[in-house]
Amino acid sequence: MEKWSLMTVTVLLALTVRWAVSLGSYSGAGKPPMYGDYEAQRHWQEITYNLPIRQWYFNTSDNNLLYWGLDYPPLTAYHSFVCAYIAKLINPDWVALHTSRGYESQPHKLFMRTTVFVADLLVYIPAVILYCFSLKETSAKKKASTCALCILLYPGLILIDHGHFQYPLSLGLALWAVLCLSHDWDLLGSMAFCLALNYKQMELYHSLPFFCYLLGKCFKKGLKGKGLVLLAKLAGTVLVSFAACWLPFGTDVEQIMQVLRRLFPIDRGLFEACMFSSPTHCPDKVANIWCSLSVLIKIKNVISPRTQLKLSFAVTFLSLLPACIKLTVQPSLRGFKFALVSCALSFFLFSFQVHEKSILLVSVPVCLIINEIPFMATWFLLVSTFSLLPLLLKDELLLPYAVTTPAFLAVCLASFSILEKTSAEDLQLKAFSLSLKGYVSWFKSFPRIVRSLFLLSLALMGALSVLSAAAPPPQRLPDLFPLAVALVSCLHFLLFLLYFNVVILWDSKNRGQKKIS
């Protein structure tokens, strides 16, 4: 009972923070002609409610795809239709065809913000709570509410969902999938992940760890017995889940092809993550390797879009291959969670058409291991929030950023005493350090070095945050601060990718894991 009381307080605090952030500005507020993501979500409601399904993804006189055309899978469209149906009951003007474009009012803002709250309460927050209660470690059992508080107060997700404006449904469904797999409910987990993937195609970032973990389980059970049965059940679950989501579009091959073209617009090029970038927002300021390299080499000017696609695919595939092979050969729940982080980070750093917000696809899996490596998880989550700074400044979310980020750090310091957990064992690097013994003499001072790097990192991010918010950039270098944020963040992410892969590849104990049989 006491644990549930603490968890109730945790949820109320998390909701209060979300409510406070939602009182501020949102993406594109008062900025015609395209406005921003808030208007995109409203426009999708307008389109899905007023037009037949066969026109949702096609360019017509009633559906101008150049104005926030639908470019997410069917579940996003169905969700928009449900929200539109409710909006129509409250005020038909909110979703009136054509005339509602750019609609802005306080009642409508309240309605839109409420829909995000409902999504949080029904999908994301329950998954976090149940996940924290399901943790196997005794110490984590005692700290379920503490762990949940740190996850629910992660500022990156709060600022994007309740500030910038976005729904947490795909990440929430992916969390439910992880939760199901942790209880060996493999079919339910597969279904939940299929739903997540059919809500946002960016869930492909997590697809390989799910595939490799479940395939590895089938191999362990034996492909001539139970393993083959499980593989057949999983394949059937995936097919049925996709068929149910795509059923309204399945009557016409051209419908399916048009949806796929909208989901994967490869002709936009390597950097065009957002087709509708405003003059104040350059999509080249994402903290990944391609945008960082473009400072020195204008890749999009020297390599064709098709070659860019092949290059990014090759580098992404090679970077995530070691973790996927290890997970397939030695499937474990712990390895699965670390692989989710590593593979998502590889996608973010090296894949095609990456948006700043895609770092959340890495951050949420990192939240799942915050009880295991609190120091590194906290550090990563702070950097991921910092990487969103140019977008947050554009949306006038400086104050929420300046309050929620230090508050999150304070909660993690108080909850996990992270500065005291920097030894090789605390960072899951004991096996790696033993393999280097005798070769690296400074490993004894490793905890002190890591703490110093962490404090230096905080100082650098703090200084760049202040400069970005308060100092005018040089006239000849108007993008100096956004570029600096992207480059510093990218360097951090590359080092984190190396770290997570070392943890995965040198982990042979799979502590706390049930034997797969």
Side-chain angles (χ1 to χ4, degrees):
M1 184 64 71
E2 182 183 351
K3 287 194 296 185
W4 281 107
S5 299
L6 287 171
M7 191 62 78
T8 301
V9 173
T10 296
V11 171
L12 288 175
L13 178 58
L15 289 175
T16 301
V17 173
R18 283 159 167 75
W19 172 77
V21 170
S22 72
L23 294 176
S25 183
Y26 51 82
S27 171
K31 296 176 182 177
M34 295 303 298
Y35 300 93
D37 281 8
Y38 176 95
E39 167 63 9
Q41 297 285 351
R42 189 217 58 79
H43 181 64
W44 295 343
Q45 294 174 19
E46 169 196 345
I47 293 302
T48 54
Y49 187 84
N50 290 288
L51 300 181
I53 289 180
R54 65 179 180 275
Q55 293 184 23
W56 286 359
Y57 291 90
F58 280 89
N59 194 56
T60 67
S61 57
D62 290 326
N63 184 21
N64 180 8
L65 293 182
L66 294 179
Y67 185 81
W68 298 119
L70 259 171
D71 53 5
Y72 285 117
L75 275 189
T76 291
Y78 304 151
H79 176 231
S80 296
F81 176 81
V82 171
C83 292
Y85 184 84
I86 300 170
K88 179 81 171 181
L89 296 175
I90 301 171
N91 187 340
D93 291 342
W94 293 351
V95 290
L97 191 62
H98 302 309
T99 59
S100 63
R101 181 175 291 194
Y103 192 99
E104 293 179 312
S105 71
Q106 281 303 315
H108 184 253
K109 177 184 174 182
L110 177 62
F111 167 76
M112 294 290 280
R113 293 297 197 194
T114 301
T115 60
V116 180
F117 264 85
V118 171
D120 241 346
L121 279 169
L122 293 182
V123 181
Y124 183 76
I125 292 178
V128 170
I129 293 170
L130 292 177
Y131 173 80
C132 291
F133 275 134
S134 73
L135 293 172
K136 298 293 187 294
E137 295 86 348
T138 305
S139 59
K141 277 279 188 182
K142 295 175 182 176
K143 292 185 177 181
S145 58
T146 303
C147 187
L149 181 64
C150 291
I151 296 175
L152 293 176
L153 289 185
Y154 165 55
L157 194 63
I158 295 174
L159 293 169
I160 293 300
D161 287 353
H162 297 272
H164 174 84
F165 199 89
Q166 181 174 277
Y167 291 101
L169 288 173
S170 64
L171 291 171
L173 289 167
L175 274 183
W176 277 104
V178 173
L179 184 63
C180 289
L181 294 192
S182 68
H183 288 87
D184 287 327
W185 301 334
D186 297 332
L187 300 186
L188 282 175
S190 299
M191 183 181 70
F193 183 70
C194 287
L195 294 177
L197 187 55
N198 278 287
Y199 191 88
K200 280 193 175 179
Q201 64 269 38
M202 284 80 79
E203 279 298 326
L204 285 169
Y205 281 36
H206 301 145
S207 58
L208 281 175
F210 273 92
F211 175 79
C212 293
Y213 175 67
L214 291 171
L215 183 63
K217 286 188 75 170
C218 293
F219 286 153
K220 286 290 184 182
K221 290 175 180 289
L223 284 182
K224 292 184 179 179
K226 292 181 179 179
L228 182 60
V229 174
L230 177 59
L231 184 62
K233 288 181 178 179
L234 290 169
T237 300
V238 171
L239 288 173
V240 170
S241 300
F242 268 82
C245 293
W246 288 73
L247 186 61
F249 303 93
T251 56
D252 185 358
V253 175
E254 181 55 29
Q255 280 277 344
I256 295 175
M257 295 306 299
Q258 175 64 10
V259 176
L260 291 176
R261 282 191 288 268
R262 294 296 299 164
L263 301 189
F264 304 104
I266 59 174
D267 290 336
R268 293 182 191 173
L270 184 62
F271 301 96
E272 299 299 317
C274 180
M275 187 176 179
F276 312 107
S277 54
S278 70
T280 60
H281 171 52
C282 175
D284 289 3
K285 305 301 184 292
V286 182
N288 72 353
I289 194 68
W290 306 120
C291 296
S292 298
L293 285 175
S294 70
V295 176
L296 301 174
I297 306 168
K298 295 301 179 185
I299 298 174
K300 58 185 178 182
N301 294 337
V302 298
I303 302 176
S304 68
R306 293 285 173 174
T307 305
Q308 292 170 21
L309 175 62
K310 293 174 183 176
L311 177 63
S312 65
F313 175 82
V315 177
T316 304
F317 179 75
L318 290 174
S319 68
L320 53 78
L321 193 59
C324 289
I325 292 175
K326 177 70 181 289
L327 184 61
T328 306
V329 175
Q330 296 179 5
S332 71
L333 189 61
R334 181 175 181 275
F336 168 61
K337 289 189 286 188
F338 274 86
L340 283 173
V341 176
S342 174
C343 291
L345 189 51
S346 289
F347 268 99
F348 179 82
L349 284 169
F350 305 117
S351 68
F352 202 71
Q353 298 180 350
V354 175
H355 195 282
E356 305 104 307
K357 294 180 293 183
S358 298
I359 195 60
L360 299 180
L361 292 155
V362 191
S363 300
V364 170
V366 171
C367 287
L368 301 182
I369 55 176
I370 197 169
N371 63 300
E372 296 189 47
I373 47 167
F375 177 81
M376 295 301 281
T378 301
W379 192 355
F380 180 91
L381 294 172
L382 289 170
V383 176
S384 68
T385 304
F386 169 73
S387 73
L388 295 166
L389 181 61
L391 180 63
L392 299 175
L393 289 175
K394 184 170 74 81
D395 291 340
E396 300 177 11
L397 294 169
L398 174 62
L399 181 58
Y401 167 79
V403 173
T404 56
T405 305
F408 172 75
L409 175 59
V411 169
C412 292
L413 284 167
S415 301
F416 293 109
S417 304
I418 59 173
L419 293 178
E420 299 172 12
K421 297 184 177 179
T422 56
S423 68
E425 186 172 4
D426 288 325
L427 299 182
Q428 312 291 330
L429 292 173
K430 189 173 182 180
F432 179 69
S433 66
L434 290 174
S435 68
L436 292 180
K437 205 169 183 179
Y439 297 96
V440 183
S441 58
W442 50 261
F443 221 91
K444 290 181 180 178
S445 56
F446 181 72
R448 181 170 53 82
I449 294 172
V450 170
R451 281 195 297 269
S452 299
L453 289 173
F454 174 68
L455 295 175
L456 178 63
S457 171
L458 288 185
L460 181 58
M461 290 189 291
L464 275 175
S465 296
V466 172
L467 288 171
S468 298
Q475 214 168 22
R476 294 197 312 171
L477 300 169
D479 292 327
L480 175 63
F481 296 138
L483 272 175
V485 170
L487 289 170
V488 168
S489 300
C490 182
L491 179 60
H492 278 83
F493 293 146
L494 285 169
L495 294 174
F496 278 118
L497 180 64
L498 177 63
Y499 164 75
F500 285 119
N501 273 286
V502 167
V503 172
I504 291 169
L505 297 178
W506 264 264
D507 175 36
S508 59
K509 293 183 178 180
N510 294 328
R511 287 169 293 176
Q513 301 302 308
K514 290 184 290 186
K515 185 178 180 181
I516 298 172
S517 58

